Amino acid sequence: MMDKPWNNKAWFFILPVLVLVLFSSVLPVMTVVNYSLQDSMGVNNFFWNGDAWFRDLLDPGTEIGARFADALLRTFAFSFAALAVEIPLGIAIALCLPRRGWAVGISLVITALPMLIPWNVVGTMWQIFARQDIGLFGAALTGIGLPYNVTQDSVSAWVTIVVIDVWHWTPLVILLSYAGLRAIPDAYYQAARIDGASRWAVFVNIELPKLQKVLVIAVLLRFMQTFMIYTEPVVVTGGGPGSATTFLSIDLVKIAIGQVDVGSAAAMSLVYYIIILTACWIFFTVMTQLERRGDS
Amino acid sequence: MRSTIAPRISLIIYLLALMLPVYWLINLSLRTNADIMSGMALWPHHPTLAKYRAIFADPTWVHAFGVSLSYVAINTVISVSVALPAAYAFNRYRFVGDKHLFFWLFTNLMAPSAVFALPFFNLFYAVGLFDTVWAVALAHCLFNVPLAVWILEGFVGGVPREIDETAAIDGYSFPRFFLRLFLPLIANGIGVTAFFCFMFSWVEQLLATTLTSSNALPFAAVMTRSYSASGMDWSLLAAAGVLTMVPGAVVIWFVRNHIAKGFALGRV
């Protein structure tokens, strides 16, 4: 790691990426910053508004502040619920996947398929699947006597969104864990067999520590994606019933495009983005620490 | 010898559960609306391809399918080609600000589309790209370029540095070395990266629908639109949904042997 040559000309290699990302990331973010500090009286008539949008947003006493706090809490709860199911399930299924033979290819293709379906199609698919009249899932749950109704009952709506996310994204955790498991040399397993270690002992002492790095990546990616969830709930529940499944992204789009309240939306965007950057930075630090420990 | 029956059964149950919603969609797509509304059926008793034929006969649907494929292709080509030199530089050299730059790129991977929808709309409207495939292709670079750099950097790291040095001693100029020797060595990595760019551009819909209105409307958006327009044509909706899975299934089949490695992002 340490013997990389110092060469500032390497910047030329980065230049194309830099130009592209400046255009597609920095420019839009600066536009948002601009909106967040101004108020508008009709088209193209802006005046300086200081930090007023932010003060309203972060004060739960105001209407927008209460709404933001609710959505934030809801989003965290959703991320937590989804991760709590997806990570253990993903590891468990990865352990079940065959290591070699004809079944590997077909299992991986089936596992990965949900991730390649456009997100609103995932929503549509589940909207149909969860209906009581024509959907298997809804009909089966109603059939066994559960009070299931996605559009009327907030518990049903919540459960459905979590089930969709688990269906949609556990494959990512599975494939990451599977890749990590395959990187463990056979010698480790042989040594364990000689020692007469139980299956559980092999998992705790060999597999889990070796999976640490991939699991950090898995948690990071899944946390970010659940925290930004938009398309599936919009299609399936439309954020309802009431505002039971109105997560941050949905609220943001409602305020920005539905109510054309650009100032509030921009302030909300920035706070939202800062939360994500902070989480990202924490994960990144943990990851590089792990890598450094792995190198030494 | 440890029993392998239990894991196998759990795996099969999981895969079946995974396929159930997909199967249900296929089931509905092969039935007529009257048939669907008349009652539940676990398989189509009178299968018909009428809705698929209707989709292929309608120029709006066919055009939209072409649009989706073209912005995904443009985006994949742009992302991979700009990311290649950057991945090489990040892996092989140290330079002013390298760590910060890498982290900053990484954060863009996590950028929430909802935050970017409105500014992108204004930006592309201002430069006259609104409602073209280029708008969507460029917007998707927001997360696909950093992703490509991240994955490729891992694959570049898998090539021993001695190869670069030997090539220099043998008198290869840098561009010739990079194009003729180095790229073939990481061909797998390029394939995996292209797959991921394809995947994230194909599935993303929030930006794709915000940045288009009629000319360059993606397939999945036409689907949502027909949804509200034609009342509830469940069967047509299901058939369109099934069609959106086809490109993904085809691409995934080609990279099936490298998927696992790619998911580890070449870094673990």
Side-chain angles (χ1 to χ4, degrees), chain B residues 56-229:
Chain B
F56 283 118
D58 184 345
T60 325
W61 286 102
V62 177
H63 176 71
F65 209 73
V67 164
S68 289
L69 286 177
S70 39
Y71 72 70
V72 170
I74 296 171
N75 173 269
T76 306
V77 170
I78 295 179
S79 302
V80 173
S81 43
V82 301
L84 271 168
Y88 183 84
F90 275 121
N91 188 268
R92 292 296 204 251
Y93 300 113
R94 303 201 56 208
F95 45 91
V96 178
D98 54 353
K99 297 238 165 67
H100 301 102
L101 203 61
F102 201 67
F103 172 69
W104 175 64
L105 279 177
F106 182 77
T107 59
N108 283 308
L109 198 55
M110 306 298 163
S113 302
V115 170
F116 284 82
L118 188 64
F120 264 144
F121 178 85
N122 289 343
L123 179 65
F124 285 113
Y125 208 86
V127 294
L129 285 175
F130 178 75
D131 201 18
T132 63
V133 287
W134 288 95
V136 185
L138 286 174
H140 284 178
C141 283
L142 167 69
F143 44 84
N144 268 353
V145 166
L147 182 79
V149 172
W150 206 36
I151 300 177
L152 281 172
E153 199 265 345
F155 280 99
V156 171
V159 178
R161 203 167 305 159
E162 285 74 30
I163 291 184
D164 306 27
E165 285 154 12
T166 319
I169 294 166
D170 287 351
Y172 273 89
S173 68
F174 185 80
R176 216 172 131 227
F177 153 74
F178 197 76
L179 294 173
R180 298 286 296 280
L181 286 182
F182 196 78
L183 290 190
L185 283 176
I186 55 164
N188 277 347
I190 295 175
V192 169
T193 313
F195 165 74
F196 277 93
C197 292
F198 168 90
M199 167 174 151
F200 282 107
S201 182
W202 178 256
V203 298
E204 204 285 332
Q205 292 297 324
L206 173 55
L207 291 177
T209 42
T210 311
L211 298 178
T212 52
S213 67
S214 57
N215 257 330
L217 208 58
F219 189 79
V222 173
M223 186 174 146
T224 331
R225 195 159 286 195
S226 75
Y227 188 96
S228 42

Side-chain angles (χ1 to χ4, degrees), chain A residues 40-46:
Chain A
S40 151
M41 294 298 208
V43 182
N44 286 332
N45 181 5
F46 289 97

Side-chain angles (χ1 to χ4, degrees), chain A residues 89-105:
Chain A
L89 181 66
I91 298 173
I93 300 294
L95 288 169
C96 292
L97 277 173
R99 300 288 167 91
R100 50 185 75 83
W102 60 271
V104 176

